[in-house]
Amino acid sequence: MSDSSNLQVSALYKNHHSWLSSWLLKKLGCPHNAADIAQDTFVRLILKSDALTNVYTPKVYLVRIAKGLMIDQWRRQALEQCYLEALSQHDEPFYMSQELQAIVVETLFEIDAMLNRLNPKAKQAFLLAQIHGFGYKEIADTIGVSERMVKKYMAAAMMHCLLLRKKLNEDTV
Amino acid sequence: MSQALDQTALQQAAEWFAVLSDKQIDESDRLAWQAWLAASPRHHSAWKEVEAINASFNKLNTVSSKTASHQALSHPNSRRQALKVLGFAGVALFGGVMLKRYSPWQDWLTTLTASAKTYSPPPGKTATVVLADASRLWLNANSQAKVEYGLMLRRITVLAGEVLLQSGHDDQDRALVVDTRHGRMTALGTRFTVRQETGRTLLAVYDGRVAITTPQGESIIVPAGNQAYFDTQKISPLEPALSAREAWTRGILIADNQHLDDFIAELSNYYPRRISVSPSVAHFRLMGAYPFSNVPLVLQEIANSLPIRVQNDAQGNFELKPLN
């Protein structure tokens, strides 16, 4: 990172950290969580320092990052909760360590983010194949479409993931 | 790495993935896939990406209960849900959707997943089609439109003539687009007509807004009450929309101080035989609203209001001539 963008970040921090924190506090109602997200917002900003040159409206930009982080946090928690609930409904108990659970939640989060905007039926087809190892005939019977459609859903779901991955790679380069 | 990741190779990789993910795979498919893989380093890079995505699932499957992962992932934890819970309106999402450039992969997905249906009214008639999302599509006479509702897009392609579209609400939030050979129009909750002419397309918006994007990447949002012509190169300035333009959906053709020959050219669309106009009367101007379900009657009415006479032959062809 260049010196000039360093300067830009510290100027942004000085001017905007306090209102961002209070805005987050109002949204989240928890001072610790608000402080964490505010901090993460600036970390994200530093990582994206090349984008800084284009920040004409820092408030909008910071709020956008902070919102993204809050959404991610909410989704991680929601996934974890769903996962644990599903586990508790199992006939056989399924034990896992805290570390393993963290890995599972993170992996679920990554996959969920990938499949997020996918058509629901395509998502179901993809999950049944990728998680349960179902054949197309079984998937077709389960979700009520033709086998030919299942194959199209599979291609579409994979392409969807591939493009998100591609975009992610390009963004972080 | 990323320079080798071209779109076509990724698409092919996704299609191969779909061929190979079924339980039974033909040996010939496997051989064909291997040949594809060996054919280019681009194919190889693309396939590595497919494997990376599979790897996330493999990781999940080794450490986690299948049923629980599936349940967690099937739950609507979506971003939209999060926005709602966190009390953000849909604005942030909408901004991104609004003026999207051409994204070829959405179109690819649409072609892949939609069952295309082409509509055209019987000769000389208009037609109304109610689409899956309750959108209404009116087709003018001699028009043809292809409708494809796919995973990412609701896509209507005007193959010929003119349509009016009143967009319905899609519970999957897919964008609604209308393509002509001159560009793309994206509906932002609306009622509008699209007429494809030889060298250009006319868009008239009556309700809501519609975004036009040309293949050159030029774009503009046309608000209600306005119309614009565009071709592949440029978009003309906005002008007030003639509400008369949508009258055809009610079976009425409106002449707004139009030259007789222009009006007859439009009227001919609703008549299976020939209607010709003598050059000496072609320049007469006409005003009025005419129900085109009865073309001979319309011609008679015109003859009553202009110094012309109508002559017809045994086949039902008409000719408009000077009085003497």
Side-chain angles (χ1 to χ4, degrees):
Chain A
M1 187 164 77
S2 68
D3 286 351
S4 72
S5 59
N6 243 330
L7 273 176
Q8 274 176 308
V9 173
S10 36
L12 278 170
Y13 192 91
K14 222 166 56 198
N15 294 332
H16 299 288
H17 184 265
S18 89
W19 73 256
L20 183 65
S21 302
S22 42
W23 181 77
L24 284 165
L25 180 59
K26 222 165 44 195
K27 284 272 167 203
L28 295 166
C30 160
H32 301 296
N33 201 356
D36 281 351
I37 299 250
Q39 204 58 35
D40 285 351
T41 302
F42 283 95
V43 170
R44 187 70 66 96
L45 196 66
I46 291 165
L47 292 175
K48 285 188 154 188
S49 60
D50 60 316
L52 274 181
T53 42
N54 294 323
V55 180
Y56 298 115
T57 48
K59 278 200 180 189
V60 175
Y61 192 66
L62 287 168
V63 164
R64 193 185 303 156
I65 297 179
K67 274 186 185 176
L69 289 168
M70 278 193 275
I71 289 166
D72 283 358
Q73 188 189 51
W74 180 86
R75 288 179 46 216
R76 265 199 189 83
Q77 284 166 357
L79 274 168
E80 183 162 21
Q81 204 182 332
C82 283
Y83 183 75
L84 293 176
E85 257 168 44
L87 271 189
S88 68
Q89 288 160 10
H90 267 223
D91 297 338
E92 284 173 45
F94 192 99
Y95 299 107
M96 57 164 67
S97 66
Q98 285 286 318
E99 291 83 356
L100 203 55
Q101 189 175 315
I103 293 175
V104 170
V105 170
E106 202 49 40
T107 315
L108 284 173
F109 178 74
E110 276 166 28
I111 293 175
D112 185 58
M114 259 189 327
L115 304 181
N116 181 16
R117 302 214 52 158
L118 192 61
N119 164 288
K121 284 214 162 163
K123 181 171 163 181
Q124 279 311 314
F126 196 59
L127 290 177
L128 287 170
Q130 294 285 76
I131 293 179
H132 297 277
F134 278 20
Y136 291 1
K137 175 82 178 60
E138 277 173 285
I139 298 175
D141 293 344
T142 311
I143 64 175
V145 298
S146 67
E147 276 183 68
R148 236 183 86 238
M149 201 61 203
V150 171
K151 191 168 161 189
K152 288 178 175 183
Y153 279 158
M154 291 293 285
M158 180 48 81
M159 188 61 186
H160 182 89
C161 297
L162 287 171
L163 287 161
L164 279 175
R165 223 181 113 77
K166 180 170 179 240
K167 191 169 177 303
L168 224 62
N169 284 340
E170 285 165 358
D171 285 354
T172 45
V173 161
Chain B
M1 171 207 70
S2 56
Q3 117 272 355
L5 272 183
D6 67 297
Q7 188 97 6
T8 319
L10 286 177
Q11 278 172 17
Q12 290 169 350
E15 289 180 41
W16 276 118
F17 163 81
V19 170
L20 301 175
S21 292
D22 200 359
K23 265 187 180 161
Q24 295 110 7
I25 308 163
D26 285 347
E27 195 48 34
S28 60
D29 280 339
R30 194 184 295 281
L31 290 174
W33 164 68
Q34 280 168 356
W36 171 81
L37 205 55
S40 152
R42 285 164 186 270
H43 297 174
H44 212 87
S45 317
W47 193 254
K48 277 212 140 29
E49 296 296 302
V50 170
E51 284 175 343
I53 285 158
N54 283 337
S56 306
F57 283 96
N58 291 337
K59 186 163 118 196
L60 188 67
N61 288 338
T62 52
V63 295
S64 150
S65 137
K66 289 183 176 185
T67 327
S69 334
H70 191 160
Q71 257 174 280
L73 288 170
S74 303
H75 195 82
N77 300 315
S78 68
R79 200 182 143 76
R80 195 171 325 139
Q81 187 93 358
L83 286 169
K84 224 188 279 169
V85 172
L86 293 167
F88 306 140
V91 183
L93 274 177
F94 192 65
V97 175
M98 232 166 57
L99 260 189
K100 217 176 264 169
R101 286 285 168 105
Y102 273 70
S103 54
W105 74 277
Q106 288 193 341
D107 280 299
W108 173 82
L109 271 181
T110 305
T111 309
L112 182 79
T113 52
S115 45
K117 192 144 190 215
T118 301
Y119 298 95
S120 51
K125 297 267 191 295
T126 64
T128 312
V129 185
V130 178
L131 303 171
D133 58 351
S135 289
R136 269 168 186 273
L137 180 70
W138 283 267
L139 291 122
N140 208 339
N142 297 333
S143 300
Q144 195 178 36
K146 183 168 68 171
V147 176
E148 294 159 292
Y149 277 21
L151 279 188
M152 299 291 294
L153 290 179
R154 293 173 286 162
R155 183 172 65 195
I156 294 167
T157 311
V158 180
L159 301 169
E162 180 172 20
V163 302
L164 180 139
L165 186 65
Q166 182 169 330
S167 65
H169 174 72
D170 184 34
D171 46 16
Q172 296 174 44
D173 264 353
R174 293 168 297 184
L176 178 62
V177 300
V178 179
D179 286 351
T180 66
R181 69 174 87 90
H182 308 114
R184 164 161 293 183
M185 286 144 283
T186 308
L188 310 167
T190 65
R191 179 179 166 91
F192 60 98
T193 53
V194 173
R195 182 163 68 164
Q196 181 167 256
E197 299 174 2
T198 319
R200 59 182 188 173
T201 289
L202 169 67
L203 164 73
V205 182
Y206 308 111
D207 219 344
R209 296 173 303 160
V210 178
I212 303 175
T213 316
T214 68
Q216 303 285 323
E218 204 183 320
S219 57
I220 188 177
I221 291 183
V222 182
N226 289 275
Q227 66 178 35
Y229 282 98
F230 65 96
D231 57 30
T232 53
Q233 305 297 319
K234 60 180 193 319
I235 302 169
S236 74
L238 297 185
E239 42 189 285
L242 300 172
S243 55
R245 273 243 65 84
E246 65 169 333
W248 62 265
T249 59
R250 302 190 301 270
I252 291 168
L253 195 58
I254 290 186
D256 185 11
N257 204 21
Q258 219 169 358
H259 279 137
L260 186 59
D261 55 348
D262 290 338
F263 179 79
I264 293 300
E266 277 197 49
L267 186 67
S268 301
N269 285 329
Y270 307 99
Y271 193 66
R273 307 263 174 236
R274 204 159 40 83
I275 312 174
S276 50
V277 181
S278 295
S280 60
V281 302
H283 64 281
F284 287 157
R285 285 185 182 275
L286 192 64
M287 276 185 100
Y290 302 93
F292 53 71
S293 56
N294 190 341
V295 168
L297 188 75
V298 170
L299 294 176
Q300 206 44 63
E301 272 186 45
I302 294 174
N304 293 340
S305 60
L306 292 175
I308 61 166
R309 64 196 168 92
V310 178
Q311 191 180 314
N312 61 323
D313 64 18
Q315 283 80 45
N317 297 317
F318 283 98
E319 191 176 357
L320 308 190
K321 293 177 142 181
L323 269 180
N324 36 47

